[in-house]
């Protein structure tokens, strides 16, 4: 049987979504059909995540779920890609006989070649270990939504003691500015209106190519691209978040006043154990400067609770900080003890019960903070990107304050039919814990 139809399952972060899109483009160029049916697919590719324990479990469950299509469907070959595949290629091959091939994070360019090799030789294939490759600039994406992620760098040089990413994605590598500009122009020409800039650490953009932290220069250029309405920033580490970047966010109209800064903790003892390059005092200075320079700024952050050695005192330091700062958007992870990281063997590991209790405490506090913030939006007007119609004259959209899938939404009431992808002025009439309710301003 000549293999033709390919189905790609994408797990994990937005960086994996881009990798899946690149694989789709490569496969289409090689005359394969991208299928929307698992039952009809001749090849199933699972693009896995292996960042923390919960993500690994989801990936393993999905792989086992896909194996049934080799018996019940038309699947001839099951291929794994992504971080879990890179990290545990031997173990996965040994434990799951239905896996036909594994390609690591730096080998997605080989996806079509691997399928052809399977067709010709019918033997299991493993291609991993090539983690420091350059971005596939020559591959053009083929699927376009109103919002698209754009990767400006890959890999990470931070080596936080809890994190496996440098071993899976390699050292920090910035893309050339001209290549990013070219991609965004291409996306804009295909109807994309919001771009979200991502990387392992986007505030480090350019230091390896231009000997300076050059994200501010990239934003200045992206702001001039016609067709793009919103430019959003994720994964900005605080240590190299300098004045040039703050000024660029403030002055560029298309750059939404929203920053995602994963702080992970605020107690200086824990930050030092995490090998974070910042401290509580500098974090507070940065937040205060952002709020002073850009009063409408929305700051999203994430924290890790239950890191080895996190005493009750250290946790309360974090809890008090959350209460004082009142972040508009906040997420909490429990520490995941990952093999091949320094923190794996740290003393004073903390029980899952205590970790979960601490996570729940912060999220309960954040729920109250969020409700107060949402309440204060009532009566105000916002530009809303309309994304979905859900019946009964109600649409779902987002303001500049909300990143897709991780933040809240706005439920928009409109008697008049709205066009998905349009930006509509909406007056907020009510609120929920994390979401807003509004009506179109006629």
């Amino acid at each position: 049987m000549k293999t033709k139809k390919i189905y790609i399952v994408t797990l994990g972060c937005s960086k994996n979504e881009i990798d899946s899109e690149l694989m789709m483009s490569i496969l289409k160029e090689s005359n394969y059909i991208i299928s929307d049916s698992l039952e009809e697919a001749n090849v199933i590719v699972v693009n896995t995540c292996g960042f923390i324990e919960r993500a690994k479990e989801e990936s393993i469950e999905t792989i086992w779920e896909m194996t049934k299509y080799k018996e019940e469907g038309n699947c001839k070959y099951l291929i794994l890609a992504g971080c879990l595949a890179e990290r545990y290629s031997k173990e996965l091959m040994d434990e799951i006989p239905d896996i036909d091939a594994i390609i690591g994070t730096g080998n997605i360019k080989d996806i079509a070649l691997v399928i052809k090799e399977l067709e010709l030789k019918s033997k299991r294939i493993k291609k991993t270990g090539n983690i420091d490759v350059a971005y596939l600039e020559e591959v053009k994406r083929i699927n376009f939504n109103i919002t698209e992620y754009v990767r400006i760098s890959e890999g990470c040089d931070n080596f936080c003691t809890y994190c496996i990413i440098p071993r899976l994605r390699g050292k920090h590598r910035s893309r050339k500015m001209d290549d990013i500009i070219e991609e965004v122009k291409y996306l804009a020409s295909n109807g994309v209106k919001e771009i979200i800039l991502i990387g392992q650490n986007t505030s480090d953009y350019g230091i390896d190519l231009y000997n300076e932290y050059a994200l501010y220069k990239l934003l200045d250029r992206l702001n001039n691209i016609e067709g793009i309405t919103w430019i959003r920033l994720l994964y900005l580490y605080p240590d190299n978040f300098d004045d040039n970047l703050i000024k660029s966010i403030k002055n560029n109209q298309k750059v939404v006043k929203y920053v995602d800064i994963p702080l992970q903790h605020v107690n200086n003892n824990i930050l030092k154990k995490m090998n974070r390059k910042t401290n509580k005092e500098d974090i507070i200075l940065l937040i205060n400067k952002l709020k002073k320079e850009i009063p409408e700024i929305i700051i999203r952050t994430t924290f890790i609770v239950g890191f080895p050695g996190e005493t009750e005192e250290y946790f309360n330091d974090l809890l008090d900080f959350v209460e004082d700062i009142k972040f508009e958007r906040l997420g909490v992870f429990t520490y995941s003890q990952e093999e091949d990281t320094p923190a794996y063997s740290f003393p004073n590991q903390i029980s899952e019960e205590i970790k979960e209790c601490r996570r729940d405490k912060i999220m309960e506090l954040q729920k109250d903070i969020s409700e107060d913030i949402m309440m204060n939006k009532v009566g105000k007007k916002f530009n809303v990107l309309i994304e979905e119609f859900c019946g009964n004259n109600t649409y779902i959209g987002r303001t500049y304050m909300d990143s897709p899938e991780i933040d809240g939404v706005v439920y928009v009431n409109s008697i008049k039919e709205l066009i998905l992808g349009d930006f509509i002025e909406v007056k907020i009439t009510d609120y929920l814990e994390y979401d807003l309710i509004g009506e179109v301003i006629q």
Side-chain angles (χ1 to χ4, degrees):
M1 177 184 70
K2 177 66 176 175
T3 303
K4 275 292 182 184
K5 294 183 178 180
I6 320 288
Y7 190 101
I8 299 181
V9 181
T10 306
L11 304 172
C13 67
S14 49
K15 292 175 279 293
N16 258 17
E17 290 183 26
I18 291 178
D19 284 346
S20 290
E21 286 190 30
L22 294 175
M23 285 192 283
M24 288 179 193
S25 298
I26 292 166
L27 290 165
K28 188 174 182 182
E29 186 69 23
S30 299
N31 297 318
Y32 290 102
I33 298 167
I34 305 302
S35 176
D36 57 4
S37 167
L38 279 165
E39 289 78 9
E40 294 179 7
N42 309 122
V43 177
I44 295 175
V45 180
V46 183
N47 195 1
T48 62
C49 179
F51 181 47
I52 57 176
E53 190 63 32
R54 189 167 67 249
K56 289 189 288 187
E57 290 171 359
E58 182 188 11
S59 291
I60 294 294
E61 289 170 6
T62 302
I63 294 165
W64 280 113
E65 180 71 15
M66 293 305 106
T67 61
K68 74 179 186 182
Y69 291 99
K70 296 191 78 171
E71 294 183 5
E72 300 174 7
N74 290 314
C75 180
K76 187 173 182 182
Y77 303 120
L78 176 61
I79 300 174
L80 305 189
C83 287
L84 191 80
E86 177 70 51
R87 187 175 181 184
Y88 296 113
S89 58
K90 183 181 184 304
E91 293 86 345
L92 289 165
M93 283 285 205
D94 290 345
E95 295 295 325
I96 308 178
D98 280 322
I99 296 170
D100 297 287
I102 286 180
I103 56 174
T105 56
N107 296 86
I108 62 170
K109 68 182 189 308
D110 299 322
I111 181 64
L113 295 174
V114 165
I115 294 173
K116 287 186 172 75
E117 194 172 336
L118 287 172
E119 291 173 324
L120 290 171
K121 299 181 180 179
S122 293
K123 69 175 185 178
R124 302 175 92 192
I125 298 167
K126 180 164 72 76
K127 289 179 179 283
T128 59
N130 191 26
I131 59 174
D132 285 319
V133 295
Y135 187 80
L136 300 176
E137 301 293 352
E138 71 279 6
V139 180
K140 297 289 187 184
R141 288 148 76 168
I142 56 174
N143 293 328
F144 306 100
N145 299 298
I146 297 302
T147 297
E148 287 290 349
Y149 294 94
V150 174
R151 185 156 54 199
I152 64 172
S153 63
E154 180 60 286
C156 186
D157 293 339
N158 287 348
F159 294 97
C160 301
T161 56
Y162 54 82
C163 184
I164 194 69
I165 289 298
R167 293 175 65 96
L168 304 180
R169 293 279 180 175
K171 64 184 180 182
H172 173 80
R173 313 179 299 284
S174 301
R175 293 174 63 193
K176 292 179 181 177
M177 208 174 294
D178 287 344
D179 290 334
I180 297 169
I181 299 297
E182 174 110 11
E183 180 182 8
V184 174
K185 286 181 177 177
Y186 170 72
L187 293 174
S189 71
N190 284 280
V192 175
K193 294 184 179 179
E194 177 187 25
I195 59 164
I196 303 178
L197 304 185
I198 60 170
Q200 307 300 336
N201 176 2
T202 51
S203 47
D204 270 5
Y205 174 76
I207 189 65
D208 51 325
L209 291 181
Y210 308 114
N211 295 315
E212 68 167 326
Y213 298 107
L215 181 56
Y216 75 100
K217 289 185 176 179
L218 176 62
L219 293 179
D220 292 347
R221 292 184 63 185
L222 290 173
N223 192 69
N224 296 321
I225 296 177
E226 291 185 13
I228 296 298
T229 304
W230 281 352
I231 301 166
R232 190 178 298 276
L233 295 164
L234 298 187
Y235 312 130
L236 293 153
Y237 279 52
D239 32 310
N240 296 315
F241 202 128
D242 59 21
D243 289 347
N244 285 328
L245 181 54
I246 293 174
K247 183 179 177 182
S248 184
I249 295 169
K250 177 180 179 179
N251 293 337
N252 284 308
Q253 184 181 3
K254 293 182 180 181
V255 178
V256 297
K257 311 317 173 197
Y258 172 110
V259 288
D260 168 64
I261 310 174
L263 297 174
Q264 312 303 19
H265 214 281
V266 75
N267 177 271
N268 285 337
N269 293 293
I270 295 298
L271 288 170
K272 187 175 181 180
K273 285 185 176 182
M274 287 179 164
N275 196 34
R276 302 287 287 185
K277 308 299 192 298
T278 190
N279 57 52
K280 181 178 182 179
E281 293 73 26
D282 287 342
I283 288 169
I284 292 172
L285 282 173
L286 173 61
I287 291 170
N288 289 339
K289 187 180 290 186
L290 280 166
K291 290 185 174 185
K292 180 183 177 183
E293 292 294 322
I294 314 171
E296 71 273 33
I297 194 77
I298 299 297
I299 302 176
R300 158 170 267 282
T301 193
T302 49
F303 292 113
I304 296 172
V305 294
F307 190 79
E310 184 191 56
T311 63
E312 198 68 28
E313 178 189 352
Y314 295 166
F315 170 71
N316 285 331
D317 195 10
L318 174 59
L319 193 65
D320 291 342
F321 176 75
V322 171
E323 186 166 21
D324 290 342
I325 297 296
K326 294 180 171 49
F327 289 96
E328 289 83 5
R329 307 287 184 263
L330 183 147
V332 182
F333 295 94
T334 56
Y335 166 71
S336 180
Q337 189 178 7
E338 293 299 315
E339 298 168 314
D340 302 319
T341 64
Y344 181 83
S345 56
F346 280 4
N348 302 314
Q349 298 283 335
I350 292 171
S351 72
E352 292 302 318
E353 183 180 2
I354 292 175
K355 291 179 194 176
E356 290 169 10
C357 179
R358 290 177 179 177
R359 177 195 61 200
D360 292 346
K361 276 187 179 180
I362 292 184
M363 290 313 299
E364 190 65 30
L365 172 60
Q366 182 61 25
K367 184 179 78 169
D368 294 337
I369 292 170
S370 180
E371 280 196 74
D372 287 342
I373 290 171
M374 295 294 102
M375 180 177 62
N376 288 329
K377 305 300 181 190
V378 174
K380 296 182 179 179
K381 300 173 184 178
F382 294 96
N383 215 22
V384 174
L385 173 58
I386 303 299
E387 296 182 304
E388 182 183 345
F389 176 65
C390 53
N392 297 322
N393 299 323
T394 302
Y395 294 79
I396 294 176
R398 285 183 293 114
T399 69
Y400 81 93
M401 302 179 290
D402 302 301
S403 193
E405 298 180 357
I406 56 174
D407 294 324
V409 297
V410 183
Y411 294 97
V412 180
N413 296 311
S414 176
I415 298 173
K416 180 184 175 183
E417 183 179 353
L418 304 181
I419 298 173
L420 303 188
D422 275 1
F423 290 83
I424 302 294
E425 193 174 16
V426 172
K427 181 178 181 180
I428 304 305
T429 58
D430 206 348
Y431 66 98
L432 304 169
E433 286 176 5
Y434 298 104
D435 302 316
L436 295 170
I437 299 168
E439 56 188 25
V440 174
I441 298 173
Q442 301 300 329

